[in-house]
Amino acid sequence: PVPPRAGLLAGLNRLPPRQRMALAMWAYADASVPEIARALELDPNAAHQLLHRAKQALRAHLDGAVP
């Protein structure tokens, strides 16, 4: 089996750069959606969608739905 940390890193590396950045800002910098939107020069709704898709893709990878 893949160690949990290795699986997490692999999942993060599979994300597109903007999704990875949004997720990192949210998880590690405790940034809000409006803060992420400003940093990435996005509409807040677009930032919300970007973060949602990043979480969804990472969850699918960690659950084994994506190799």
Side-chain angles (χ1 to χ4, degrees), residues 18-58:
R18 287 167 62 99
Q19 284 186 7
R20 189 169 45 247
M21 179 61 74
L23 191 58
M25 290 176 67
W26 175 79
Y28 299 115
D30 202 27
S32 66
V33 170
E35 291 168 331
I36 293 168
R38 277 192 299 278
L40 298 179
E41 299 179 349
L42 296 171
D43 177 78
N45 289 330
H48 178 79
Q49 276 297 102
L50 186 69
L51 184 57
H52 175 74
R53 289 185 184 130
K55 290 178 190 178
Q56 205 170 34
L58 183 58

